[in-house]
Amino acid sequence: MAVSFSRRIRSLAPVLVLLALCLVIASTNSNFLSVSNLIRLLSAAAIPLVLVMGATFVILMGSIDLSVEGVVALAAVAASMLVANDFTSLDLGFVALPAAMLLGGLLGLANGLLHVRLAIPSFMTTLGIGFACVGVATAILGGFTVRISDRTFRELTLGRLFDVPYSVWVAGLCVLVAWIIQERTRIGRWVYAIGTDEHTARQVGVPVERTRILVFALAGVFYGLGGAMSASQLGQGHALLSQGRLFTTITAVVVGGTALSGGVGSVLNSVVGVLVVIVLANGMVLMGIEPFVQQGVQGLLIILAVSLALDRSRLAVVK
Amino acid sequence: MSVLEVRNATKRFPGVVALDDASIRVDRNEVVGLIGENGAGKSTLLKVLTGIYRLDEGEVRVNDGVIELTSPRDAFDHGVAMVFQEQSVIGTLSVAENIFLGREGEFIKGGLIDRGRMNEAARVELAKVHLDIDPAIRTEELSFAQRQMVEIAKALSLDSRIEGDIVILLDEPTSVLEKREVDLLFEIIRDLKDRAAIVFISHRLDEVLAISDRIYVLRNGAVVHETPATDATVTELHGHMVGRSLHHEYYREQRQSGAGERCVLEVKGLGRTGAFEDVSFALREGEVLGIAGVVGSGREALARCLAGLLPPERGEILIDGQPARLDSPARAVGHGVGFVPSERKAEGIVTGMSVCENVTLASLADFVRNGFIRRGDERAATQGWIERLSIRTPSGRTPIASLSGGNQQKVVLAKWRVAGSRIVILDHPTRGIDVGAKEDVYELVRDMTGEGLCVLLLADTLEEVIGLSSRIIVMRDGRVSATFDSPPGGKPNQVDLVRAMV
Amino acid sequence: METFREYLPPVVLVLLVLAVGAIEPGFLAVDNLLTVTADTMTLFLMASGATFVIMMGGIDLSIQGVASMTSCIVAALLPELGFAAVPVALFAGAASGLLCGIVSTRLRIPSFIASLAISGIVTTVAYWASDTRSVLIAAGDRDSFLAWAVGDTGPLQNEILVGLVALLLLGLLLNGTPFGRYVRAIGSQERAVVASGIPVERVKILAFTLSGLMAGLAGVVMAGRLGSGSPTLANEFLLPAIACIIVGGTAITGGVGSIFRTFIGALTIAVVRIGMTFVGVSVFAQQIVFGLILVLAVAITMDRSKVTTVK
């Protein structure tokens, strides 16, 4: 079973990369392993973790979701306008959280419906929806920023339990939920079936269309939550607050070892992927590298990870 | 009582009758063998039985009721389960998940799948096929034979879940199994006869004879023979499979040219793991070399290899006596190889373009001056070939998609003639085109060899390969199993060829 | 269907122009129409090269990043290099397109993800070139080195001339050369083109390079118009650029399309935008309308016979 062996090595690669990265950074910078830096790392990883939970399912189906930034921005703006703020007179407190998730879910549903019902490639529909969301967020605020004055809402991410911010616990909960969905529900299993072999899945009676739509909606719910968390963390909502999130999300998913061709990977892989991206960013900061270099490094990471992980035998024509 | 019955089934495709008033019956506790040459209608029949095709005429009866099968899942729910040749288990899911994929309902508790119960239930089904594996492991970890057993177990899971009997369709189940595994499969099939009716489709006639109770022979879409297995012999079945011969004239045998002096293509010890091994032959100018073999014999891979689409791993290719590396289609074309693929619509023609653009596609550089395409030259050249090959098209500007299959195929031939190819590989050149156009293609093959080109032919039928070729090599399991000379008037016998093929 | 596809976009454009003119007669004044056209040319330039990629059935999501990058490069280098800053910027654009093509073909990475990755890299280059801020172009530099792009020639704005030259050259390239023919053939039926012995990878890489070059040119012209370069200068241009390709009638599935259609598409997008503003549609709703137009245009122009499973 030589194939299986090399696949196992490959599936371990992201973890090895993470460990190697930690070792290198720790050896050059003693601050890296300090408790405060580790908590800073986890805190930085929280929102990306929530976002990749959604994106992983979409990518496992062999699709892609480019609407992350738009949905997160719009959800964040919506959440910040529902809690006590300086833009509207509302003060609905924690209602903002389910509301943002619902909004995200609806936008995801729109992604899924347009993609499946009109049979348009997902990168196209999600690109359209994503841009429209950013546009709407910009237009609602007219370029302004909403400032949140609701202290308890801000506690949602900033408050601490055992010295670890709530946002990290929330992210942990999301990982758990996503993992249960992946392992123990029909949708979760069908995602793998569709991503591995949509034709066969259809033949044995898996409701492929319905599953696709639901998965995009599910991803939207996670983005919605991520949006609310961003608003809570920053204490404000504006249209550009999610800039760079799409990049981090996709990098994390592919670096974690989930294949863009679908069927291979898991939400746990994506957890590792997020940590790789965050540790790398943190390391670069510690080493005094300009923050803008990160996007470029992430771009290189995407290329590297995808080209190492892609099962080329399955692709006859690459578009 | 019949478990499955097909009555007077007819299925037509443009230009072809794939099933022609065919009737078969499968009784309870019976293994029925289904044999026939490539294109005899076996796969169409299977697709009808699994709800992929709908019949034009005739009916399908399952457990004595007429049923309109709408999809493989629908067929499955009615008790007709197919074990596909190209397996349909999903590697990234566990054995148990594969067995119950799409039917997880009974294991759902509180919205979650009860894996313990699902694995338990899977174990029960696996026991029926004597497969002692952990139902929780991923199917990609299993061997091919084990995956096949999982598919059979999946079919058997219907046993306790539907009323009536189940039918298991096994499509070439032994083609990639070792001898030991085949024996095991047969043991299980005999065992299963108590629970299910079985249809066994294979080109290995000895196996069909060994396992079946009754055998149907299909030819040209019709059932031409039905016999209890005990009364049949391999030779007799061969005879029924191939049928009568057509007249010599049909293949323009009188125009068959003798081999020239010059050896154009020589292949020595060519091999590619999992496809073909140790293939050697020489091709002279003016010759048509036929390659016969069943699906999986390696001949398709060999053709694609010489076209540069599937590089060989071992061996040598000589063109005009010089070593040639054909590791890309561009290289192959540069060496004068032209490939007429079997999937015409996917690889032969560019569907969105005109006849003219297709004709000049492989030789566009010849029509360029100062960087720009000279459309006048292009059109004139195309017009010439349209006339020479009598391609029926309003003009060169007509979209190729609007031409008939036969005329599209002539355009593909014209493309290689314009490009000056000297070695033309014809992979099923007459597949899916009507009778008149077939004769035109035969005529064109003779024209080409008459002009000194050489042709490598993978024919649709045995008749065709015998009729057209000047020499035939037969491939079996990736190796050359026999070579026949095929001069006009001294054509080899179909039964001899079949014997070397299976 | 084909004729419908070919003539519908120009007809729609004319009708839209007339409709907007009916609401706001001043819109139809020649001066105004010329200004609208000039304003649209950067969008057209950005979309023109990407049209080749989309016609092959691929996509280039890096064009806005590339345009931003070249705006930074040209703005940063003008004071030192003078006019030579322009070819340097264009070269950078072409190089990023080349890289994108190589990554997509040689590493066999789907173009949407390859170009997304490249856009990250070029954004970093943009930040580096601009030192993370917006770089102003001195009026003198602009007048002496970028006048070819932003000045006037007689009654015409130079943007229009640059756009027309691009339209002509790229049109010739697409319709008159083997390269253009191969691009269309690849989008139509790639496997058949491969089997015909065409060096498909080389054609693809060239198309991506062209896309990068044109996006780079768009960035330079934008920098000239705005008098500055910035790493986020062309943000929000990606979607409209793809929209004008698709609205013009080029199919996302490849094989069908032309540069002229993209030209028409760009003008259509511009007129729709102006029309909505005249009618008083809020900016809020405009974004949704654009999203819908894009999705609908994709749905209409797509060739469904070519895709078995839509992912």
Side-chain angles (χ1 to χ4, degrees):
Chain A
M1 298 254 104
V3 176
S4 168
F5 180 70
S6 80
R7 188 171 290 176
R8 245 172 234 145
I9 292 285
R10 210 190 261 178
S11 69
L12 275 182
V15 179
L16 296 178
V17 167
L18 178 60
L19 289 178
L21 208 56
C22 289
L23 275 178
V24 169
I25 299 173
S27 65
T28 56
N29 195 307
S30 55
N31 284 334
F32 178 73
L33 286 179
S34 69
V35 174
S36 64
N37 190 52
L38 289 181
I39 289 178
R40 193 177 305 134
L41 272 175
L42 283 177
S43 169
I47 292 172
L49 273 174
V50 174
L51 301 182
V52 295
M53 289 304 112
T56 305
F57 286 115
V58 174
I59 293 179
L60 276 175
M61 287 193 308
S63 297
I64 191 84
D65 192 342
L66 302 179
S67 71
V68 180
E69 289 180 0
V71 177
V72 169
L74 196 52
V77 168
S80 57
M81 292 192 337
L82 290 174
V83 299
N85 68 87
D86 67 350
F87 195 81
T88 65
S89 52
L90 294 172
D91 182 8
L92 300 177
F94 277 100
V95 173
L97 198 62
M101 289 165 77
L102 180 69
L103 176 64
L106 289 175
L107 292 168
L109 191 66
N111 273 331
L113 283 172
L114 288 172
H115 159 53
V116 170
R117 295 280 173 242
L118 296 180
I120 298 173
S122 55
F123 79 84
M124 205 68 239
T125 51
T126 54
L127 190 73
I129 295 279
F131 262 84
C133 286
V134 173
V136 169
T138 314
I140 293 177
L141 297 180
F144 284 111
T145 297
V146 190
R147 294 194 192 288
I148 295 173
S149 44
D150 187 331
R151 296 298 309 167
T152 37
F153 184 70
R154 297 218 57 200
E155 281 294 301
L156 170 70
T157 47
L158 301 179
R160 288 179 177 232
L161 179 66
F162 305 128
D163 268 347
V164 176
Y166 284 140
S167 59
V168 177
W169 297 105
V170 173
L173 191 68
C174 283
V175 172
L176 183 68
V177 168
W179 189 74
I180 289 173
I181 292 174
Q182 173 187 298
E183 291 297 308
R184 295 289 301 279
T185 68
R186 276 184 285 190
I187 292 285
R189 304 326 290 163
W190 289 345
V191 161
Y192 279 93
I194 292 171
T196 310
D197 184 350
E198 180 165 339
H199 180 68
T200 296
R202 203 184 293 275
Q203 282 203 339
V204 304
V206 171
V208 174
E209 276 75 25
R210 199 152 28 104
T211 307
R212 284 188 166 281
I213 295 172
L214 272 176
V215 166
F216 275 96
L218 177 69
V221 172
F222 280 111
Y223 304 157
L225 176 60
M229 288 169 73
S230 306
S232 159
Q233 198 170 51
L234 295 171
Q236 50 178 262
H238 59 91
L240 299 178
L241 106 173
S242 58
Q243 258 188 0
R245 292 283 188 212
L246 169 66
F247 233 74
T248 313
T249 305
I250 291 188
T251 313
V253 174
V254 299
V255 168
T258 297
L260 284 171
S261 43
V264 179
S266 124
V267 292
L268 297 185
N269 281 66
S270 298
V271 172
V272 177
V274 168
L275 293 178
V276 169
V277 171
I278 297 295
V279 166
L280 192 65
N282 181 267
M284 282 173 17
V285 171
L286 291 180
M287 290 176 198
I289 297 170
E290 299 262 24
F292 64 74
V293 179
Q294 279 177 25
Q295 253 193 333
V297 172
Q298 286 181 4
L300 288 174
L301 270 182
I302 291 181
I303 294 170
L304 199 69
V306 176
S307 59
L308 288 178
L310 215 59
D311 187 355
R312 284 178 187 72
S313 57
R314 282 179 57 190
L315 298 169
V317 167
V318 180
K319 292 274 178 182
Chain B
M1 190 190 102
S2 75
V3 182
L4 174 71
E5 198 176 348
V6 177
R7 286 190 190 168
N8 310 102
T10 298
K11 177 75 191 170
R12 297 182 199 89
F13 293 106
V16 205
V17 181
L19 279 181
D20 186 3
D21 198 26
S23 298
I24 66 160
R25 200 184 77 245
V26 188
D27 289 339
R28 174 177 281 178
N29 307 339
E30 192 185 30
V31 179
V32 168
L34 200 59
I35 61 173
E37 263 203 274
N38 297 339
K42 284 177 301 181
S43 51
T44 309
L45 186 58
L46 286 176
K47 284 184 174 157
V48 167
L49 290 177
T50 49
I52 295 170
Y53 291 160
R54 233 55 65 78
L55 284 176
D56 294 328
E57 283 156 40
E59 61 187 30
V60 177
R61 302 171 72 91
V62 178
N63 288 312
D64 274 331
V66 178
I67 273 169
E68 183 93 351
L69 299 172
T70 55
S71 70
R73 173 60 189 273
D74 186 40
F76 192 79
D77 288 342
H78 281 98
V80 183
M82 167 97 170
V83 175
F84 289 92
Q85 191 178 350
E86 68 284 12
Q87 296 187 329
S88 67
V89 291
I90 288 178
T92 51
L93 296 184
S94 77
V95 172
E97 284 168 345
N98 265 291
I99 291 177
F100 297 108
L101 185 60
R103 303 179 293 142
E104 297 87 347
E106 59 180 291
F107 306 107
I108 299 286
K109 213 164 68 185
L112 301 181
I113 297 169
D114 184 341
R115 288 200 155 182
R117 253 180 351 111
M118 189 192 247
N119 288 343
E120 252 348 280
R123 207 160 281 162
V124 173
E125 306 306 332
L126 291 172
K128 292 180 188 168
V129 292
H130 309 299
L131 194 57
D132 184 23
I133 51 168
D134 178 1
I137 63 169
R138 286 187 182 199
T139 39
E140 63 192 358
E141 312 266 321
L142 303 180
S143 71
F144 189 90
Q146 284 175 319
R147 287 204 295 267
Q148 196 167 51
M149 290 302 161
V150 170
E151 288 207 66
I152 296 174
K154 178 176 176 172
L156 291 174
S157 71
L158 280 173
D159 204 1
S160 56
R161 289 173 175 83
I162 63 159
E163 285 183 34
D165 289 9
I166 53 179
V167 192
I168 300 177
L169 312 173
L170 296 168
D171 184 15
E172 303 278 0
T174 59
S175 54
V176 287
L177 299 188
E178 309 273 331
K179 178 79 179 73
R180 193 174 45 79
E181 295 168 330
V182 172
D183 292 342
L184 186 70
L185 177 69
F186 280 13
E187 222 171 276
I188 285 164
I189 291 177
R190 289 194 189 100
D191 201 33
L192 291 180
K193 270 177 27 175
D194 298 342
R195 307 168 181 272
I198 288 157
V199 179
F200 185 91
I201 299 115
S202 176
H203 59 262
R204 295 185 181 168
L205 298 190
D206 49 340
E207 291 177 359
V208 175
L209 277 171
I211 193 70
S212 308
D213 300 310
R214 221 148 37 82
I215 296 171
Y216 287 100
V217 183
L218 278 141
R219 190 175 69 225
N220 297 331
V223 173
V224 292
H225 190 61
E226 180 198 340
T227 174
T230 41
D231 301 350
T233 65
V234 170
T235 321
E236 187 200 332
L237 290 178
H238 278 159
H240 287 295
M241 275 167 70
V242 296
R244 62 176 181 87
S245 304
L246 275 171
H247 198 261
H248 304 286
E249 280 304 298
Y250 190 62
Y251 294 107
R252 312 311 192 253
E253 270 174 44
Q254 71 286 0
R255 292 188 58 205
Q256 182 172 327
S257 48
E261 282 305 301
R262 256 167 25 109
C263 175
V264 183
L265 171 71
E266 196 179 356
V267 165
K268 289 181 187 166
L270 215 57
R272 190 181 155 90
T273 307
F276 52 85
E277 222 46 74
D278 199 22
V279 174
S280 302
F281 61 81
L283 186 55
R284 295 172 183 283
E285 56 182 346
E287 231 185 354
V288 178
L289 178 67
I291 306 179
V294 295
V295 174
S297 63
R299 61 175 186 155
E300 272 89 6
L302 178 65
R304 298 186 74 76
C305 164
L306 293 172
L309 286 158
L310 199 70
E313 289 161 357
R314 287 169 289 281
E316 210 180 349
I317 299 172
L318 301 172
I319 291 178
D320 296 329
Q322 299 295 315
R325 282 186 45 198
L326 305 182
D327 49 8
S328 74
R331 284 259 173 83
V333 171
H335 279 293
V337 177
F339 179 52
V340 179
S342 58
E343 284 183 78
R344 183 176 57 244
K345 291 210 165 93
E347 282 190 317
I349 58 170
V350 179
T351 30
M353 299 186 111
S354 70
V355 170
C356 175
E357 288 168 324
N358 269 283
V359 167
T360 56
L361 183 63
S363 53
L364 208 48
D366 299 341
F367 298 95
V368 170
R369 195 187 296 164
N370 302 326
F372 289 98
I373 301 169
R374 297 180 55 85
R375 299 204 179 209
D377 294 0
E378 205 189 355
R379 231 169 274 145
T382 305
Q383 196 52 43
W385 283 99
I386 288 176
E387 281 156 25
R388 250 181 101 177
L389 306 188
S390 44
I391 300 172
R392 249 157 290 165
T393 169
S395 84
R397 272 180 248 183
T398 309
I400 193 164
S402 66
L403 268 55
S404 70
N407 284 300
Q408 290 177 349
Q409 194 67 298
K410 289 189 207 170
V411 171
V412 180
L413 281 169
K415 171 171 79 182
W416 296 120
R417 300 304 306 273
V418 173
S421 303
R422 293 174 309 130
I423 304 163
V424 178
I425 303 171
L426 302 177
D427 186 358
H428 296 88
T430 58
R431 176 173 287 177
I433 68 181
D434 59 39
V435 180
K438 276 187 189 177
E439 290 193 58
D440 285 352
V441 169
Y442 301 147
E443 202 61 72
L444 296 179
V445 169
R446 297 302 181 214
D447 287 349
M448 290 194 284
T449 51
E451 289 169 42
L453 276 69
C454 53
V455 171
L456 200 72
L457 172 73
L458 277 65
D460 226 19
T461 62
L462 281 176
E463 281 169 18
E464 194 174 277
V465 72
I466 292 171
L468 278 179
S469 306
S470 28
R471 217 148 39 82
I472 299 168
I473 61 176
V474 180
M475 289 182 71
R476 181 172 60 204
D477 298 333
R479 287 169 189 278
V480 175
S481 61
T483 308
F484 295 90
D485 273 324
S486 181
K491 295 284 180 181
N493 183 312
Q494 291 197 22
V495 175
D496 292 339
L497 244 66
V498 171
R499 198 164 287 146
M501 278 161 63
V502 297
Chain C
M1 181 64 208
E2 208 27 56
T3 356
F4 173 76
R5 234 187 230 163
E6 189 140 7
Y7 295 108
L8 184 68
V11 170
V12 167
L13 176 61
V14 171
L15 291 179
L16 280 172
V17 169
L18 293 178
V20 176
I23 301 161
E24 180 66 54
F27 178 75
L28 291 179
V30 175
D31 269 0
N32 185 58
L33 287 179
L34 284 178
T35 308
V36 170
T37 310
D39 289 346
T40 312
M41 283 306 108
T42 42
L43 185 62
F44 165 66
L45 289 177
M46 203 164 181
S48 61
T51 305
F52 284 78
V53 176
I54 289 187
M55 280 195 66
M56 292 190 313
I59 187 108
D60 188 347
L61 301 180
S62 70
I63 45 180
Q64 73 176 18
V66 171
S68 296
M69 174 186 74
T70 55
S71 79
C72 293
I73 292 176
V74 82
L77 295 183
L78 266 186
E80 280 177 56
L81 298 183
F83 183 77
V86 174
V88 169
L90 296 184
F91 178 80
S96 55
L98 178 73
L99 188 63
C100 189
I102 290 173
V103 166
S104 164
T105 56
R106 296 267 192 257
L107 300 179
R108 298 184 72 76
I109 295 178
S111 56
F112 76 86
I113 203 84
S115 57
L116 194 69
I118 297 297
S119 74
I121 295 170
V122 296
T123 302
T124 292
V125 174
Y127 275 109
W128 172 76
S130 67
D131 207 10
T132 74
R133 59 193 169 76
S134 160
V135 186
L136 294 182
I137 298 174
D141 282 345
R142 180 160 80 154
D143 291 343
S144 31
F145 304 123
L146 295 177
W148 55 271
V150 294
D152 292 309
T153 304
L156 284 181
Q157 285 98 323
N158 283 355
E159 286 96 330
I160 300 181
L161 295 179
V162 172
L164 288 177
V165 169
L167 177 66
L168 184 73
L169 290 181
L170 294 182
L172 277 176
L173 193 60
L174 186 60
N175 297 319
T177 68
F179 167 70
R181 176 80 60 88
Y182 294 151
V183 162
R184 198 152 64 79
I186 289 170
S188 196
Q189 190 59 275
E190 180 164 345
R191 287 177 61 200
V193 185
V194 172
S196 298
I198 309 312
V200 167
E201 289 196 350
R202 216 182 305 158
V203 175
K204 283 184 165 182
I205 292 173
L206 206 56
F208 276 102
T209 309
L210 194 61
S211 181
L213 176 69
M214 294 313 291
L217 178 60
V220 171
V221 175
M222 258 184 231
R225 283 173 63 92
L226 298 174
S228 71
S230 118
T232 55
L233 189 79
N235 277 12
E236 312 301 312
F237 265 80
L238 173 61
L239 198 72
I242 293 175
C244 59
I245 297 171
I246 306 295
V247 168
T250 298
I252 194 90
T253 36
V256 178
S258 77
I259 299 299
F260 182 66
R261 292 184 192 196
T262 300
F263 191 77
I264 297 290
L267 292 174
T268 307
I269 295 284
V271 173
V272 168
R273 191 186 296 263
I274 292 165
M276 284 198 293
T277 311
F278 277 157
V279 182
V281 179
S282 73
V283 190
F284 170 86
Q286 283 189 15
Q287 290 290 343
I288 298 175
V289 171
F290 276 121
L292 281 180
I293 288 178
L294 175 66
V295 167
L296 278 180
V298 170
I300 292 170
T301 54
M302 239 177 101
D303 179 356
R304 277 161 216 291
S305 64
K306 274 192 347 218
V307 277
T308 44
T309 62
V310 181
K311 287 196 169 173

